[in-house]
PDB file of all heavy atoms in Angstrom:
ATOM      1  N   GLU N 164     -28.735  20.993 -53.418  1.00 98.00           N
ATOM      2  CA  GLU N 164     -27.371  20.534 -53.139  1.00 98.00           C
ATOM      3  C   GLU N 164     -26.722  21.387 -52.052  1.00 98.00           C
ATOM      4  O   GLU N 164     -26.051  20.855 -51.148  1.00 98.00           O
ATOM      5  CB  GLU N 164     -26.521  20.567 -54.409  1.00 98.00           C
ATOM      6  CG  GLU N 164     -26.892  19.509 -55.419  1.00 98.00           C
ATOM      7  CD  GLU N 164     -26.186  19.692 -56.758  1.00 98.00           C
ATOM      8  OE1 GLU N 164     -25.431  20.671 -56.929  1.00 98.00           O
ATOM      9  OE2 GLU N 164     -26.405  18.847 -57.646  1.00 98.00           O
ATOM     10  N   MET N 165     -26.915  22.703 -52.121  1.00 98.00           N
ATOM     11  CA  MET N 165     -26.335  23.585 -51.100  1.00 98.00           C
ATOM     12  C   MET N 165     -26.966  23.307 -49.740  1.00 98.00           C
ATOM     13  O   MET N 165     -26.263  23.242 -48.724  1.00 98.00           O
ATOM     14  CB  MET N 165     -26.525  25.058 -51.484  1.00 98.00           C
ATOM     15  CG  MET N 165     -25.644  25.506 -52.628  1.00 98.00           C
ATOM     16  SD  MET N 165     -25.728  27.281 -52.926  1.00 98.00           S
ATOM     17  CE  MET N 165     -27.429  27.477 -53.435  1.00 98.00           C
ATOM     18  N   LYS N 166     -28.283  23.135 -49.709  1.00 98.00           N
ATOM     19  CA  LYS N 166     -28.968  22.865 -48.440  1.00 98.00           C
ATOM     20  C   LYS N 166     -28.547  21.510 -47.880  1.00 98.00           C
ATOM     21  O   LYS N 166     -28.280  21.389 -46.680  1.00 98.00           O
ATOM     22  CB  LYS N 166     -30.477  22.941 -48.625  1.00 98.00           C
ATOM     23  CG  LYS N 166     -30.952  24.359 -48.833  1.00 98.00           C
ATOM     24  CD  LYS N 166     -32.435  24.431 -49.129  1.00 98.00           C
ATOM     25  CE  LYS N 166     -32.821  25.871 -49.442  1.00 98.00           C
ATOM     26  NZ  LYS N 166     -34.173  25.997 -49.949  1.00 98.00           N
ATOM     27  N   ASP N 167     -28.490  20.500 -48.739  1.00 98.00           N
ATOM     28  CA  ASP N 167     -28.090  19.158 -48.289  1.00 98.00           C
ATOM     29  C   ASP N 167     -26.668  19.147 -47.746  1.00 98.00           C
ATOM     30  O   ASP N 167     -26.358  18.409 -46.809  1.00 98.00           O
ATOM     31  CB  ASP N 167     -28.202  18.141 -49.431  1.00 98.00           C
ATOM     32  CG  ASP N 167     -29.645  17.839 -49.819  1.00 98.00           C
ATOM     33  OD1 ASP N 167     -30.570  18.208 -49.057  1.00 98.00           O
ATOM     34  OD2 ASP N 167     -29.845  17.253 -50.902  1.00 98.00           O
ATOM     35  N   ALA N 168     -25.789  19.980 -48.310  1.00 98.00           N
ATOM     36  CA  ALA N 168     -24.396  20.061 -47.848  1.00 98.00           C
ATOM     37  C   ALA N 168     -24.256  20.925 -46.599  1.00 98.00           C
ATOM     38  O   ALA N 168     -23.184  20.980 -46.002  1.00 98.00           O
ATOM     39  CB  ALA N 168     -23.504  20.608 -48.962  1.00 98.00           C
ATOM     40  N   GLY N 169     -25.337  21.607 -46.217  1.00 98.00           N
ATOM     41  CA  GLY N 169     -25.302  22.443 -45.014  1.00 98.00           C
ATOM     42  C   GLY N 169     -24.552  23.752 -45.188  1.00 98.00           C
ATOM     43  O   GLY N 169     -24.140  24.354 -44.203  1.00 98.00           O
ATOM     44  N   VAL N 170     -24.386  24.227 -46.438  1.00 98.00           N
ATOM     45  CA  VAL N 170     -23.635  25.462 -46.667  1.00 98.00           C
ATOM     46  C   VAL N 170     -24.531  26.654 -46.961  1.00 98.00           C
ATOM     47  O   VAL N 170     -24.097  27.799 -46.878  1.00 98.00           O
ATOM     48  CB  VAL N 170     -22.597  25.306 -47.814  1.00 98.00           C
ATOM     49  CG1 VAL N 170     -21.626  24.179 -47.502  1.00 98.00           C
ATOM     50  CG2 VAL N 170     -23.261  25.094 -49.167  1.00 98.00           C
ATOM     51  N   TRP N 171     -25.791  26.423 -47.311  1.00 98.00           N
ATOM     52  CA  TRP N 171     -26.689  27.499 -47.725  1.00 98.00           C
ATOM     53  C   TRP N 171     -27.123  28.329 -46.531  1.00 98.00           C
ATOM     54  O   TRP N 171     -27.543  27.803 -45.518  1.00 98.00           O
ATOM     55  CB  TRP N 171     -27.910  26.922 -48.436  1.00 98.00           C
ATOM     56  CG  TRP N 171     -28.788  27.946 -49.061  1.00 98.00           C
ATOM     57  CD1 TRP N 171     -28.595  28.557 -50.258  1.00 98.00           C
ATOM     58  CD2 TRP N 171     -30.000  28.482 -48.535  1.00 98.00           C
ATOM     59  NE1 TRP N 171     -29.618  29.439 -50.514  1.00 98.00           N
ATOM     60  CE2 TRP N 171     -30.495  29.414 -49.463  1.00 98.00           C
ATOM     61  CE3 TRP N 171     -30.714  28.271 -47.363  1.00 98.00           C
ATOM     62  CZ2 TRP N 171     -31.672  30.125 -49.270  1.00 98.00           C
ATOM     63  CZ3 TRP N 171     -31.886  28.979 -47.158  1.00 98.00           C
ATOM     64  CH2 TRP N 171     -32.348  29.894 -48.111  1.00 98.00           C
ATOM     65  N   VAL N 172     -26.996  29.648 -46.642  1.00 98.00           N
ATOM     66  CA  VAL N 172     -27.450  30.575 -45.605  1.00 98.00           C
ATOM     67  C   VAL N 172     -28.709  31.297 -46.079  1.00 98.00           C
ATOM     68  O   VAL N 172     -29.713  31.330 -45.383  1.00 98.00           O
ATOM     69  CB  VAL N 172     -26.347  31.596 -45.241  1.00 98.00           C
ATOM     70  CG1 VAL N 172     -26.857  32.628 -44.246  1.00 98.00           C
ATOM     71  CG2 VAL N 172     -25.117  30.873 -44.690  1.00 98.00           C
ATOM     72  N   SER N 173     -28.649  31.896 -47.267  1.00 97.00           N
ATOM     73  CA  SER N 173     -29.814  32.567 -47.846  1.00 97.00           C
ATOM     74  C   SER N 173     -29.548  32.827 -49.317  1.00 97.00           C
ATOM     75  O   SER N 173     -28.418  32.703 -49.786  1.00 97.00           O
ATOM     76  CB  SER N 173     -30.113  33.887 -47.136  1.00 97.00           C
ATOM     77  OG  SER N 173     -29.090  34.831 -47.374  1.00 97.00           O
ATOM     78  N   GLY N 174     -30.572  33.215 -50.030  1.00 96.00           N
ATOM     79  CA  GLY N 174     -30.404  33.545 -51.430  1.00 96.00           C
ATOM     80  C   GLY N 174     -31.743  33.833 -52.073  1.00 96.00           C
ATOM     81  O   GLY N 174     -32.783  33.388 -51.583  1.00 96.00           O
ATOM     82  N   HIS N 175     -31.702  34.594 -53.143  1.00 94.00           N
ATOM     83  CA  HIS N 175     -32.912  34.926 -53.880  1.00 94.00           C
ATOM     84  C   HIS N 175     -32.576  35.257 -55.319  1.00 94.00           C
ATOM     85  O   HIS N 175     -31.520  35.821 -55.605  1.00 94.00           O
ATOM     86  CB  HIS N 175     -33.617  36.148 -53.269  1.00 94.00           C
ATOM     87  CG  HIS N 175     -34.190  35.893 -51.923  1.00 94.00           C
ATOM     88  ND1 HIS N 175     -35.374  35.237 -51.734  1.00 94.00           N
ATOM     89  CD2 HIS N 175     -33.717  36.183 -50.692  1.00 94.00           C
ATOM     90  CE1 HIS N 175     -35.619  35.146 -50.432  1.00 94.00           C
ATOM     91  NE2 HIS N 175     -34.627  35.708 -49.789  1.00 94.00           N
ATOM     92  N   ALA N 176     -33.502  34.973 -56.205  1.00 90.00           N
ATOM     93  CA  ALA N 176     -33.449  35.503 -57.558  1.00 90.00           C
ATOM     94  C   ALA N 176     -34.010  36.920 -57.476  1.00 90.00           C
ATOM     95  O   ALA N 176     -34.820  37.221 -56.599  1.00 90.00           O
ATOM     96  CB  ALA N 176     -34.301  34.651 -58.497  1.00 90.00           C
ATOM     97  N   LEU N 177     -33.570  37.784 -58.362  1.00 90.00           N
ATOM     98  CA  LEU N 177     -34.064  39.152 -58.385  1.00 90.00           C
ATOM     99  C   LEU N 177     -35.100  39.318 -59.486  1.00 90.00           C
ATOM    100  O   LEU N 177     -35.021  38.665 -60.526  1.00 90.00           O
ATOM    101  CB  LEU N 177     -32.909  40.127 -58.598  1.00 90.00           C
ATOM    102  CG  LEU N 177     -31.826  40.091 -57.513  1.00 90.00           C
ATOM    103  CD1 LEU N 177     -30.687  41.025 -57.872  1.00 90.00           C
ATOM    104  CD2 LEU N 177     -32.415  40.461 -56.165  1.00 90.00           C
ATOM    105  N   ALA N 178     -36.057  40.222 -59.248  1.00 87.00           N
ATOM    106  CA  ALA N 178     -37.066  40.525 -60.252  1.00 87.00           C
ATOM    107  C   ALA N 178     -36.398  41.202 -61.444  1.00 87.00           C
ATOM    108  O   ALA N 178     -35.241  41.630 -61.372  1.00 87.00           O
ATOM    109  CB  ALA N 178     -38.144  41.428 -59.650  1.00 87.00           C
ATOM    110  N   ASP N 179     -37.136  41.339 -62.525  1.00 81.00           N
ATOM    111  CA  ASP N 179     -36.635  41.923 -63.759  1.00 81.00           C
ATOM    112  C   ASP N 179     -35.949  43.268 -63.513  1.00 81.00           C
ATOM    113  O   ASP N 179     -36.383  44.061 -62.681  1.00 81.00           O
ATOM    114  CB  ASP N 179     -37.807  42.106 -64.723  1.00 81.00           C
ATOM    115  CG  ASP N 179     -37.341  42.497 -66.105  1.00 81.00           C
ATOM    116  OD1 ASP N 179     -37.079  43.701 -66.304  1.00 81.00           O
ATOM    117  OD2 ASP N 179     -37.230  41.617 -66.962  1.00 81.00           O
ATOM    118  N   LEU N 180     -34.892  43.523 -64.245  1.00 79.00           N
ATOM    119  CA  LEU N 180     -34.106  44.748 -64.119  1.00 79.00           C
ATOM    120  C   LEU N 180     -34.969  46.003 -64.253  1.00 79.00           C
ATOM    121  O   LEU N 180     -34.695  47.030 -63.638  1.00 79.00           O
ATOM    122  CB  LEU N 180     -33.001  44.749 -65.173  1.00 79.00           C
ATOM    123  CG  LEU N 180     -32.061  45.938 -65.214  1.00 79.00           C
ATOM    124  CD1 LEU N 180     -31.256  46.023 -63.915  1.00 79.00           C
ATOM    125  CD2 LEU N 180     -31.136  45.833 -66.400  1.00 79.00           C
ATOM    126  N   THR N 181     -36.028  45.929 -65.039  1.00 78.00           N
ATOM    127  CA  THR N 181     -36.882  47.108 -65.246  1.00 78.00           C
ATOM    128  C   THR N 181     -37.631  47.517 -63.987  1.00 78.00           C
ATOM    129  O   THR N 181     -38.193  48.606 -63.936  1.00 78.00           O
ATOM    130  CB  THR N 181     -37.898  46.864 -66.381  1.00 78.00           C
ATOM    131  OG1 THR N 181     -38.735  45.761 -66.017  1.00 78.00           O
ATOM    132  CG2 THR N 181     -37.183  46.577 -67.691  1.00 78.00           C
TER     133      THR N 181
END
Side-chain angles (χ1 to χ4, degrees):
E164 289 171 358
M165 288 187 295
K166 289 175 185 171
D167 290 347
V170 302
W171 188 81
V172 175
S173 67
H175 292 281
L177 299 176
D179 189 278
L180 180 64
T181 61

